[in-house]
Structures are given as structure tokens and as C-alpha cells.
Amino acid sequence: MDGLARNAAGNAARHGRRQGRAATVAWKQPPSPPSSSASSSSSSSPSPASSTPSPSPPASASPPPPTAAPPSTPPLRTLYPASAHHAEGFVRVSAIHSLYYRVYGNQAGKPALFLHGGPGAGCWPNHARFFDPAVYRIVLCDQRGAGKSTPAGCLEENTTDLLVADIEALREHLSVDRWALVMGGSWGTTLALAYAQAHPGRVAAMLLRGVCLLRRREIDWFYRPGGAEALFPFAWRDLMAALHPSQPQQTADSPAAAAHTRADGDGGGHGDVNGDLVAAFYERLTSTDAALRDSAARAWMRWEMSLSHFPTPSAPAALLAWDGSTYSFPPSPLSPPPPSSPPSAPSSPSSSPSSSPPSSPSSSSPTSSSSSSSPSSPSPPNSLPAAAPPAPAAAQASAKAVAAAAGEGSTGDTAEAEEGGTSEDGEQRRGTRDTRGRDLMGGPHISGSVAQARIECHYFHHDGFLSDNQLLHNIDAIRHIPTVIVHGRYDFVCPLVNAIDLHTAWLEAHLRVVPNAGHSMYEPGITHELIEASDFFRNV
């Protein structure tokens, strides 16, 4: 802690010296109006010159008038209405890989690039809805092996440096001189940082959500005992079960099951390949045995799904209790009420009537604008938007359903893409084996969820093809780029310390920590902050 404090102090001093030359965005919190109680207290306090106390009011006097109500909190921002893409295609980036892309929004607008998570999750139409379609030319692209890019789930020629080069190839293919805004979430923040550090002149601004720096400590948090496992022991037990299918399976409510997993084999359930869980899954996910590969992928993705969303006090998870023989969910005041139809979402304010996005059939969905009765103006340039108000219980309770309906899950980006894929010349690629008998090429036989699990494990198995702390050490290359960081306070996939470490090294960036929020970009507070920030960058 002392070292971290010294580091922060040193960065603060350097930041002060740099302010004269750093081209950062100056967001400022508007001053809060004085509270009525404070003003009342100050106006009723006796003057220092007064020595006689004020007489008490008679008992029959009327009570004082009620104080003025505090100003109303603006509604949470929601996704822009869905719209159709106006361009799509493939970019051949190697003899093996072709990348699929789609373009939404204003064809002559400011170019904005969305980088999906995973790695390997692929892009979805809802990702375009975080940008104002009247202002931005919104580009979504499936990274190597992900989504509709081909071959599906291919691990050959799939590294971070190659993905960075792919973004440059895409930029040139679309005749973009410089990205007005690069937005990345989870693994997308890793790739956004790596790309900006390699090509700082091609990025005008960045919006980062759920910071992932892919350091060894982050991988260990997620895939070794003592990290996330300590908070989610039942989900961890299910993950471990995929590595030991020959052992008798105990029921989910068995009290011995979790203890058995903790004590199994190598002293805590690291896995069965040199005590390395990631390596154990890598063997299975690259197997030519389809049943083994699919089973491992289901367990891998289910573990992530278990950690993605944060239940809030206003929408708590059901109470779990031990009744002497089984775990169950008994009736309790802590348990949420039965689900009901989701309420209408508050409207999304726009910059002006002329730039309001057109209505669409999907605008009545839980994540879209459905009312215009209480519009609010966006924050002006160089003014910090108000913090997201606490989300209504119904909105928080429906967050998981919203993400599921969008086709994304564990990291807000879980792949559910069509099986297989077609390259720009219509060629369907078949899976092949390498000399060790593994299937690294992927192809039409690999489903979207298996592709994501394979690619994620591939990157984690190789430490993201980055040196530890590489992205922090190279911050000076991008210090001048205006950036907003949005992170959930209770993000169990990418813990908050990731964002704190990044911001400690990069004080010019603006950090927005959302209370009562986890990892998913579809949690109401996260969505609000992302859209506020993307709207802010319209004018930068």
C-alpha cells in the first residue's frame, strides 16, 4: 500500500508538471447547490454581536413551511434505437484469416470503432446502439476467429500484435484517416490500449469499460483458488467438474461437493495439467474429440456467466440456506418478487431534435428509448455529466434478461454466433490438426460459444501475448489521448483494482466507478455512463 501511495503521489506530481502541455478533456463536476438545511442553519445562527438569545416561538405558532424539494435526478440513459447496417464485408488479413465487419450510423459521420471482448466474443448489433447514429459512422468488426470471421475458432496466427495490425488493415480498407472514438470493453480495453500505443496518431479519443490489462495476477484471480473462486464456490465446483468427468457427480446441493472440489488432487483444484487450470482446459478445447471440446466450452462459459452481473440491494439474489440435508432457496423477505413484465425505460436525451435517432420497432425493448415526456439535455463540452442515479429495482432485476436477449452473456459479450463461417470468396474452411493432434485451425464445425472459449483460453494460456504490465509501462505513448474509463464497483470478472492501477499510471484519463454494478455493459448504470461519454465525445 505504501508503494502504491508513493506511485500515485509521483504520478500526481508529474501530472501537475504536464498539465501545461497535455491535451486532455477537462471535465468538471458542476457545483452542488447548497442544501436547504445548511442555508437554514446559516441564516438562523445568531450574529456574533448578539448577546440575547432569540425568544422561543409561542406554542400556537404555525409550523415552518416545508423546505424546497431537491432538484430531480435525470433519468438513466438507455441504448439508442436499433438501426440497420448500411455496409458489410470481409477483409482478408492473411492467407488464413478473413475478418467480417459491419458499418452503422451516419455514412459521413465521425468514425467510431467498437472492439469486442472475450477474446473471441464477436460483435452484435446492440453494440452499435451505444453511439449516436446521427453523428457517428459506427464500425463493428469480429476479430480473428470470432463471430462471422473465418475460420471460426482458429488459433493459428492469432496473437495480440496481429489483431493490432488487423485494425490498421480495417482502417485503411474503410478509408478512415483517424478513429474519432475507439470504444472497448473487457478484453476490448486490452486491445484498444495495445492499438493506441502502437498507433497513437490514429486515435482521437477512447472509451474503456471493465478494464482488463491481462496481467498474470488477473488470470490467476479468475482461474486459481483464492480469487474469484472464494466468492463463487458453487460455480467453481461446476467448472472443476468438467476436468474430472470420470469422478462420481454429486448433486448441486450436496454440502460435500464444494469441499470435495477444494480438496481434490493438487490441493485446491488447479486442474490436472501441472496444476494449471487454463492449460487443462486448453488441452480439451483444442481436442479433436467434439464431445470433450463442447463439454469444456460449456463449463468455461458457464463459469464466466456466473460472475458477470452484480445483484444489488434493491434487487437481491434469492437467499441460500442449508436445512440440514440440502441447500435450498426458502421463502424470505430478502428474496426478489416473481418476475413481471419489464417497465418502460426512460428516454434517451439527444443533442437536438434534428439529431434524434429515428424510431424503430425495437424501441420498446427494455434497453431502448420508449418515452419522450422528460427529455434532458446532454452535458455541454468540458462539463462532467452527473453521476448515474441508483437504478430502479426493476431495471436492475431485468439486466440479465436484457443481456441474454441481446445474445451476450458472461462478459457482456458472450458469443452465440452461427456455426461456421464464410470468407469473402465463399470458401468454407475445414478444421485441421497440428502435429500434436490438436485442432487449432477451427472451421465450420466450431460453434460460436466453443470458438469464444477456445480463443479466450488460447490468449490466457499465452498471457495475452503481452509482457506483464506492458500496457501500464507504455502509457506515455497515449497520455495525450482524451479517455474515459467506466468500471463497475463490483466487477468480479475484471476487478476494480485494474481500473485503479490504470488510472494511477494515467491521471489525465477520467475514471467513472459505477456503484451497484458489475461487469456487463448492459447493467443500467454502466450503460448510462457509456452513452453519456460517447455523447460527450461527439463534441470533442
Side-chain angles (χ1 to χ4, degrees):
M1 291 297 292
D2 293 339
L4 180 61
R6 287 194 299 271
N7 187 24
N11 276 302
R14 289 193 296 274
H15 171 61
R17 292 193 297 270
R18 272 195 301 268
Q19 273 195 319
R21 59 183 177 87
T24 60
V25 184
W27 277 11
K28 296 181 180 180
Q29 181 69 46
S32 301
S35 65
S36 56
S37 59
S39 60
S40 174
S41 173
S42 60
S43 62
S44 62
S45 57
S47 166
S50 173
S51 59
T52 305
S54 301
S56 300
S60 59
S62 301
T67 57
S72 60
T73 304
L76 283 168
R77 301 293 303 277
T78 56
L79 299 181
Y80 279 98
S83 61
H85 61 278
H86 55 73
E88 66 178 332
F90 284 87
V91 179
R92 180 64 69 91
V93 292
S94 78
I96 297 175
H97 290 275
S98 292
L99 306 185
Y100 174 77
Y101 70 89
R102 281 184 174 180
V103 184
Y104 296 77
N106 185 343
Q107 298 185 47
K110 304 175 75 169
L113 175 67
F114 180 88
L115 297 176
H116 66 70
C123 286
W124 297 86
N126 268 356
H127 292 152
R129 299 174 63 191
F130 286 86
F131 305 86
D132 185 344
V135 173
Y136 289 108
R137 179 189 179 195
I138 308 155
V139 179
L140 311 183
C141 181
D142 295 334
Q143 296 155 28
R144 295 192 180 204
K148 293 184 178 181
S149 293
T150 62
C154 180
L155 307 181
E156 295 281 7
E157 298 182 7
N158 202 332
T159 68
T160 301
D161 285 346
L162 290 174
L163 298 189
V164 167
D166 291 349
I167 298 173
E168 274 295 276
L170 177 67
R171 182 187 62 77
E172 294 173 358
H173 178 77
L174 297 175
S175 300
V176 172
D177 179 64
R178 185 169 72 152
W179 301 107
L181 178 60
V182 174
M183 175 179 173
S186 195
W187 156 257
T189 66
T190 314
L191 186 55
L193 290 168
Y195 173 73
Q197 290 174 4
H199 303 280
R202 299 300 183 182
V203 179
M206 287 196 291
L207 174 53
L208 309 176
R209 185 269 310 169
V211 174
C212 171
L213 303 172
L214 215 58
R215 298 169 290 180
R216 169 49 55 180
R217 59 186 276 189
E218 297 172 44
I219 299 172
D220 288 348
W221 155 264
F222 211 59
Y223 293 109
R224 285 192 180 272
E229 169 265 350
L231 299 176
F232 299 87
F234 292 100
W236 179 265
R237 181 215 55 212
D238 292 339
L239 179 67
M240 292 296 99
L243 299 179
H244 308 285
S246 61
Q247 294 180 349
Q249 294 299 303
Q250 295 170 292
T251 59
D253 54 9
S254 168
H260 175 78
T261 299
R262 293 294 302 253
D264 182 46
D266 53 13
H270 287 275
D272 61 354
V273 179
N274 299 323
D276 188 340
L277 183 148
V278 173
F281 270 93
Y282 190 72
E283 292 288 337
R284 287 157 174 78
L285 291 167
T286 57
S287 172
T288 55
D289 182 336
L292 181 61
R293 185 177 60 232
D294 294 351
S295 174
R298 284 193 299 271
W300 181 276
M301 300 310 302
R302 186 165 55 242
W303 165 244
E304 291 193 33
M305 288 282 288
S306 300
L307 278 66
S308 179
H309 296 268
F310 177 67
T312 67
S314 59
L319 176 70
L320 176 67
W322 174 250
D323 65 6
S325 60
T326 61
Y327 285 107
S328 61
F329 300 95
S332 166
L334 298 177
S335 300
S340 58
S341 58
S344 299
S347 61
S348 296
S350 58
S351 59
S352 66
S354 61
S355 64
S356 299
S359 60
S360 69
S362 63
S363 63
S364 61
S365 67
T367 60
S368 63
S369 177
S370 61
S371 169
S372 59
S373 59
S374 57
S376 61
S377 301
S379 300
N382 300 328
S383 173
L384 181 64
Q396 289 281 3
S398 65
K400 295 183 182 180
V402 169
E408 295 106 1
S410 63
T411 62
D413 310 300
T414 303
E416 294 294 344
E418 298 173 343
E419 294 193 11
T422 305
S423 65
E424 58 187 339
D425 55 7
E427 175 187 2
Q428 284 280 351
R429 299 185 179 275
R430 296 183 179 275
T432 60
R433 299 184 185 185
D434 69 354
T435 55
R436 294 160 293 178
R438 294 179 184 170
D439 176 4
L440 300 183
M441 279 295 297
H445 62 292
I446 299 294
S447 69
S449 57
V450 173
Q452 178 174 350
R454 280 165 57 93
I455 297 172
E456 279 189 7
C457 193
H458 170 69
Y459 274 78
F460 299 163
H461 186 53
H462 294 92
D463 294 328
F465 301 94
L466 300 165
S467 61
D468 215 33
N469 287 309
Q470 174 180 327
L471 300 177
L472 295 179
H473 292 158
N474 294 337
I475 284 296
D476 282 345
I478 59 173
R479 203 173 287 282
H480 64 285
I481 299 177
T483 299
V484 174
I485 303 167
V486 176
H487 208 103
R489 174 65 180 84
Y490 298 102
D491 187 334
F492 300 121
V493 178
C494 298
L496 177 59
V497 68
N498 297 355
I500 298 300
D501 288 348
L502 177 60
H503 190 248
T504 298
W506 191 8
L507 293 175
E508 294 86 352
H510 297 278
L511 175 61
R512 308 284 284 176
V513 178
V514 182
N516 288 350
H519 187 70
S520 173
M521 65 196 304
Y522 297 104
E523 295 189 52
I526 300 289
T527 298
H528 172 90
E529 291 293 340
L530 291 176
I531 294 179
E532 284 285 286
S534 71
D535 277 5
F536 171 80
F537 283 123
R538 294 179 305 189
N539 304 310
V540 174

